């Protein structure tokens, strides 16, 4: 690895560790429990490795489809083994698609009103 790649890798790992620590702290407060530093480090390492596996899988799925960009279908495919995650991602995907449709409709409506306005000026 190059120095920049290694530094980025370490920064990402530190960010995951920090986030896992904060989540464990919050969950611990909610359930009146404490997490040891070793447990937090183990969860963070497992999370980081799992993210790496997901990233490689997503790249492979996109490459298999002869695309250079990962899309939502790749993410759905990667999540297929976890029913709860798969349902969540499907719902989020539908929600985002609907939001994009709504934005397009609003944008089209504005264009029509501008076109009508321009026509009336002529």
């Amino acid at each position: 690895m190059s120095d920049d790649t290694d530094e980025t890798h370490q920064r990402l790992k530190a960010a995951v560790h920090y986030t896992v620590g904060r989540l464990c702290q919050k969950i611990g407060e909610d359930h009146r429990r404490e997490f040891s530093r070793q447990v937090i480090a183990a969860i963070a390492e497992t999370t980081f490795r799992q993210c790496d596996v997901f990233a490689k899988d997503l790249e492979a799925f996109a490459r298999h489809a002869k695309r250079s960009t990962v899309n939502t279908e790749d993410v759905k495919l990667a999540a297929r083994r976890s029913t709860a995650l798969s349902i969540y991602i499907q719902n989020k995907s539908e929600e985002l698609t609907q939001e994009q449709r709504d934005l397009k409709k609003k944008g089209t409506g504005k264009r029509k009103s501008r076109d009508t306005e321009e026509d009336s000026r002529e």
Side-chain angles (χ1 to χ4, degrees), residues 62-79:
R63 198 175 326 110
H64 179 74
K66 297 180 177 37
R67 287 183 275 103
S68 59
T69 304
V70 172
N71 67 21
T72 55
E73 294 307 311
D74 301 322
V75 176
K76 290 176 190 175
L77 188 59

Side-chain angles (χ1 to χ4, degrees), residues 53-116:
V53 169
F54 281 146
K56 288 176 182 171
D57 285 350
L58 291 171
E59 288 175 345
F61 296 153
R63 198 175 326 110
H64 179 74
K66 297 180 177 37
R67 287 183 275 103
S68 59
T69 304
V70 172
N71 67 21
T72 55
E73 294 307 311
D74 301 322
V75 176
K76 290 176 190 175
L77 188 59
R80 72 192 181 284
R81 291 188 181 144
S82 170
T83 305
L85 181 59
S86 186
I87 290 169
Y88 179 81
I89 289 173
Q90 181 64 37
N91 291 340
K92 271 296 182 196
S93 175
E94 290 169 4
E95 185 181 308
L96 290 171
T97 301
Q98 187 60 46
E99 286 177 9
Q100 287 175 344
R101 285 184 191 142
D102 292 347
L103 285 173
K104 283 182 183 178
K105 285 180 184 177
K106 286 180 182 177
T108 304
K110 287 180 181 177
R111 264 190 238 124
K112 285 182 181 176
S113 64
R114 285 184 197 148
D115 292 344
T116 306

Side-chain angles (χ1 to χ4, degrees), residues 9-95:
H9 183 83
Q10 289 302 317
R11 290 178 63 138
L12 284 171
K13 209 169 194 177
V16 169
H17 186 84
Y18 174 79
T19 302
V20 167
R22 299 295 292 184
L23 288 168
C24 287
Q25 182 180 10
K26 180 164 178 16
I27 290 168
E29 289 170 1
D30 292 346
H31 297 281
R32 296 186 187 127
R33 299 278 190 253
E34 279 190 39
F35 290 85
S36 70
R37 290 178 186 230
Q38 293 85 359
V39 168
I40 292 170
I43 293 170
E45 184 63 28
T46 303
T47 301
F48 192 79
R49 287 183 185 181
Q50 190 62 49
C51 287
D52 190 46
V53 169
F54 281 146
K56 288 176 182 171
D57 285 350
L58 291 171
E59 288 175 345
F61 296 153
R63 198 175 326 110
H64 179 74
K66 297 180 177 37
R67 287 183 275 103
S68 59
T69 304
V70 172
N71 67 21
T72 55
E73 294 307 311
D74 301 322
V75 176
K76 290 176 190 175
L77 188 59
R80 72 192 181 284
R81 291 188 181 144
S82 170
T83 305
L85 181 59
S86 186
I87 290 169
Y88 179 81
I89 289 173
Q90 181 64 37
N91 291 340
K92 271 296 182 196
S93 175
E94 290 169 4
E95 185 181 308

